[in-house]
């Protein structure tokens, strides 16, 4: 990772820390206006505010250190350019095979949207040797930095199985389309190196313990038994044929095509995790009915608590407590539009008692959007169907233990690109994006979903 990328990350972390500190300060001001405020409550909130303030200071110093390091590197580069004799200067950047800490062949500061990479992929199949050389350098750099992760990648002799530069997959993830908010929030694993199935052993009959009836009598015994949970490895893929004319005479055509394929890959994967027949979250979750011709956010909230209680009752001592509420954006904004004069009788850490949870004001697909009154984080995902029910106008709210929603993805990419000149007779070039994944929400049958006429298309009336 370059210094520029580290600086960008540090700036994002600082912005996040500042936002968190402001939220703690707002919470403190709200508490101070509460006539029932105790000294202990005030002191606890001040401590949280001060901790957030210290985090801002730490992030600020980290950013300053990185910027100072970058300034020094720039200064040394300029000095070297002035002092190195012209006859002994290093070869041009594109004449050197660079790996490790050297600058990458494809970099976000020079090729932000990946147009150069995409153009090279397509051009390599048309006999462009310079494009082939750049792609070969890129693959060597990937092996140097990610080592064992690329052991299964196809060789570059025919350039079938090129690894997409990591910054491109990172960049494309948050763009338009429903994308993959839920997939990014759940528990991730590396997909096994071989096989088209993931197997998990589940204990279905446990041992037994009871009181001994009397001395020297047999103690209770129950033979344990397990059942194998088989999870299929699936392939998500998309393709697009583009003309040779668009490659050679067009401007940015490849970038548009690949951007769309990347985003649709992410959206398709997330959609399957939520909606796939038999195994998608909507089909394995136990329903909590909310039937109401005039629904309100205040009436919906107890259903959320009922669902979370069901999650914990199913998990018992295996419950992590790391729960999620997953809902459509229209439902999240409807809950925010509600006004009321009542609030929960039991307060929660870090939540102002007089409000129905908190909105973190993060943008779509950037993680947790806010929290409910009991502290449950909210993930907003528009892959949730909004055409359910008899009136085809209902959505659903899912309540899960985050640690028991599992997603396996191939660690090589997670996405790959292949380009093959399979339609030479029509001057066409084929671009393909694909990836392998497996998922399950059923290691423990715990998920709940709120469904019914109470979740019809919302009316934003303040209730």
């Amino acid at each position: 990772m370059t210094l520029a990328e580290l600086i960008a990350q540090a700036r994002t972390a600082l912005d996040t820390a500042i936002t968190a500190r402001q939220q703690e300060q707002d919470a403190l001001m709200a508490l101070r206006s509460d006539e029932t405020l105790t000294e202990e409550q005030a002191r606890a909130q001040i401590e949280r505010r001060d901790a957030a303030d210290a985090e801002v200071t730490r992030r600020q110093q980290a950013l300053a250190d990185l910027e100072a390091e970058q300034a020094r590197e720039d200064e040394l580069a300029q000095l070297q350019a002035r002092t190195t004799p012209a006859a002994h200067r290093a070869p041009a950047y594109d004449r050197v095979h660079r790996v490790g800490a050297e600058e990458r062949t494809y970099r976000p500061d020079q090729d932000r949207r990946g147009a150069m990479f995409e153009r090279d992929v397509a051009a390599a199949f048309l006999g462009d040797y310079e494009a082939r050389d750049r792609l070969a350098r890129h693959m060597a750099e990937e092996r140097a930095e990610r080592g064992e992760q690329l052991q299964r990648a196809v060789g570059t002799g025919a350039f079938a199985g090129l690894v997409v530069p990591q910054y491109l997959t990172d960049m494309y993830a948050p763009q338009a389309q429903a994308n993959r908010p839920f997939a990014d929030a759940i528990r991730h694993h590396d997909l096994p190196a071989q096989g088209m199935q993931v197997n998990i052993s589940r204990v279905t009959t446990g041992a037994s313990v009871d009181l001994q009836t009397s001395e020297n009598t047999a103690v209770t015994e129950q033979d344990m038994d397990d059942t194998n949970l088989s999870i299929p490895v699936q392939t998500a893929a998309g393709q697009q044929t583009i003309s040779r004319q668009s490659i050679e005479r067009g401007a940015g055509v490849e970038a548009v095509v690949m951007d769309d394929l990347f985003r649709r890959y992410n959206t398709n994967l997330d959609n399957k995790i939520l909606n796939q027949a038999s195994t998608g979250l909507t089909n394995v979750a136990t329903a909590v009915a909310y039937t109401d011709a005039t629904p309100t956010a205040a009436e919906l909230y107890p259903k959320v608590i009922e669902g979370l209680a069901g999650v914990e009752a199913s998990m018992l001592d295996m419950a992590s407590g790391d729960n999620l509420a997953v809902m459509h954006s229209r439902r999240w904004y409807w809950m925010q539009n509600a006004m009321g004069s009542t609030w929960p009788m039991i307060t929660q850490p870090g939540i102002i008692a007089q409000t129905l949870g908190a909105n973190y004001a993060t943008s779509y697909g950037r993680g947790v959007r806010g929290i409910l009154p009991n502290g449950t984080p909210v993930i907003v995902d528009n892959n949730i169907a909004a055409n359910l029910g008899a009136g085809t106008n209902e959505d659903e709210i899912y309540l899960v233990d985050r640690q028991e929603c599992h997603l396996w993805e191939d660690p090589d990419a997670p996405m790959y690109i292949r380009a093959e000149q399979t339609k030479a007779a029509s001057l066409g070039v084929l671009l393909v994006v694909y990836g392998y994944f497996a998922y399950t929400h059923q290691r423990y049958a715990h998920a709940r979903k709120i469904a019914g006429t109470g979740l019809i298309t919302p009316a934003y009336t303040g209730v």
Side-chain angles (χ1 to χ4, degrees), residues 316-346:
L316 299 177
D317 68 332
M318 297 308 298
S320 70
D322 187 9
N323 297 326
L324 286 178
V326 189
M327 63 184 70
H328 196 280
S329 63
R330 73 180 193 177
R331 194 58 52 196
W332 176 236
Y333 283 103
W334 178 69
M335 294 185 73
Q336 291 182 61
N337 107 108
M339 309 290 287
S341 58
T342 61
W343 48 84
M345 295 181 63
I346 299 177

Side-chain angles (χ1 to χ4, degrees), residues 10 25 33 50 75 135 201 227 263-264 302 368 371 401 427 435 454:
Q25 177 65 18
S33 64
D50 291 345
E75 180 183 355
L135 290 170
S201 176
T227 301
R263 289 184 288 111
R264 291 182 186 276
V368 173
I371 52 175
D401 186 316
L427 294 181

Side-chain angles (χ1 to χ4, degrees), residues 82-137:
R82 292 197 303 269
T83 58
T84 303
H88 296 91
R89 287 183 180 176
Y93 179 85
D94 62 355
R95 300 298 179 184
V96 181
H97 188 169
R98 298 171 180 267
V99 297
E102 301 275 354
E103 292 288 0
R104 298 294 301 264
T105 302
Y106 303 109
R107 313 197 319 260
D109 58 329
Q110 293 186 349
D111 187 30
R112 179 171 176 77
R113 294 188 60 83
M116 178 180 175
F117 170 75
E118 294 152 1
R119 188 178 301 112
D120 282 350
V121 170
F125 286 92
L126 302 177
D128 187 330
Y129 292 104
E130 290 186 358
R132 287 172 176 261
D133 289 343
R134 286 191 292 271
L135 290 170
R137 279 203 307 273

Side-chain angles (χ1 to χ4, degrees), residues 6-20:
L6 290 172
I7 290 172
Q9 286 187 353
R11 285 173 178 160
T12 300
L14 177 58
D15 288 342
T16 301
I18 292 172
T19 300

Side-chain angles (χ1 to χ4, degrees), residues 218-236:
V219 299
T220 184
E221 180 180 9
Q222 172 66 54
D223 293 337
M224 293 180 63
D225 193 12
D226 73 330
T227 301
N228 191 49
L229 175 61
S230 296
I231 307 162
V233 175
Q234 304 184 72
T235 306

Side-chain angles (χ1 to χ4, degrees), residues 1-257:
M1 183 173 291
T2 65
L3 268 175
E5 291 171 329
L6 290 172
I7 290 172
Q9 286 187 353
R11 285 173 178 160
T12 300
L14 177 58
D15 288 342
T16 301
I18 292 172
T19 300
R21 192 269 180 195
Q22 187 59 49
Q23 289 172 347
E24 296 297 346
Q25 177 65 18
D26 292 344
L28 177 60
M29 297 304 295
L31 277 176
R32 285 171 171 167
S33 64
D34 187 349
E35 295 180 356
T36 64
L37 175 67
T38 66
E39 182 179 347
E40 183 179 351
Q41 289 175 319
R43 183 169 58 254
Q45 183 57 41
I46 290 172
E47 289 176 355
R48 285 193 289 270
R49 192 274 314 274
D50 291 345
D53 203 29
E55 179 66 8
V56 171
T57 302
R58 189 177 73 83
R59 294 292 186 182
Q60 186 178 17
Q61 184 59 50
L63 175 59
D65 292 344
L66 287 170
E67 288 177 335
E69 185 177 349
Q70 181 67 69
R72 180 57 176 164
E73 291 295 322
D74 294 343
E75 180 183 355
L76 289 176
Q78 294 174 5
L79 180 62
Q80 185 178 33
R82 292 197 303 269
T83 58
T84 303
H88 296 91
R89 287 183 180 176
Y93 179 85
D94 62 355
R95 300 298 179 184
V96 181
H97 188 169
R98 298 171 180 267
V99 297
E102 301 275 354
E103 292 288 0
R104 298 294 301 264
T105 302
Y106 303 109
R107 313 197 319 260
D109 58 329
Q110 293 186 349
D111 187 30
R112 179 171 176 77
R113 294 188 60 83
M116 178 180 175
F117 170 75
E118 294 152 1
R119 188 178 301 112
D120 282 350
V121 170
F125 286 92
L126 302 177
D128 187 330
Y129 292 104
E130 290 186 358
R132 287 172 176 261
D133 289 343
R134 286 191 292 271
L135 290 170
R137 279 203 307 273
H138 163 65
M139 290 302 292
E141 293 160 357
E142 290 291 335
R143 291 192 198 92
E145 292 197 0
R146 290 199 274 169
E148 294 180 357
Q149 291 185 4
L150 299 181
Q151 292 300 317
R152 305 199 303 279
V154 179
T156 60
F159 292 99
L162 289 168
V163 178
V164 178
Q166 189 65 46
Y167 79 87
L168 285 181
T169 63
D170 292 341
M171 180 185 70
Y172 284 120
Q175 305 230 347
Q177 296 287 329
N179 231 288
R180 47 178 290 163
F182 182 55
D184 286 338
I186 60 179
R187 187 174 176 182
H188 286 79
H189 312 275
D190 287 348
L191 198 64
Q194 286 88 30
M196 295 301 291
Q197 189 168 274
V198 176
N199 294 306
I200 297 177
S201 176
R202 295 184 298 170
V203 175
T204 52
T205 301
S208 175
V209 174
D210 204 348
L211 297 176
Q212 187 181 25
T213 56
S214 62
E215 295 180 14
N216 292 324
T217 59
V219 299
T220 184
E221 180 180 9
Q222 172 66 54
D223 293 337
M224 293 180 63
D225 193 12
D226 73 330
T227 301
N228 191 49
L229 175 61
S230 296
I231 307 162
V233 175
Q234 304 184 72
T235 306
Q239 65 177 346
Q240 189 69 211
T241 300
I242 59 177
S243 69
R244 181 164 181 168
Q245 289 89 337
S246 68
I247 295 172
E248 295 182 345
R249 304 190 64 82
V253 174
E254 303 95 328
V256 172
V257 173

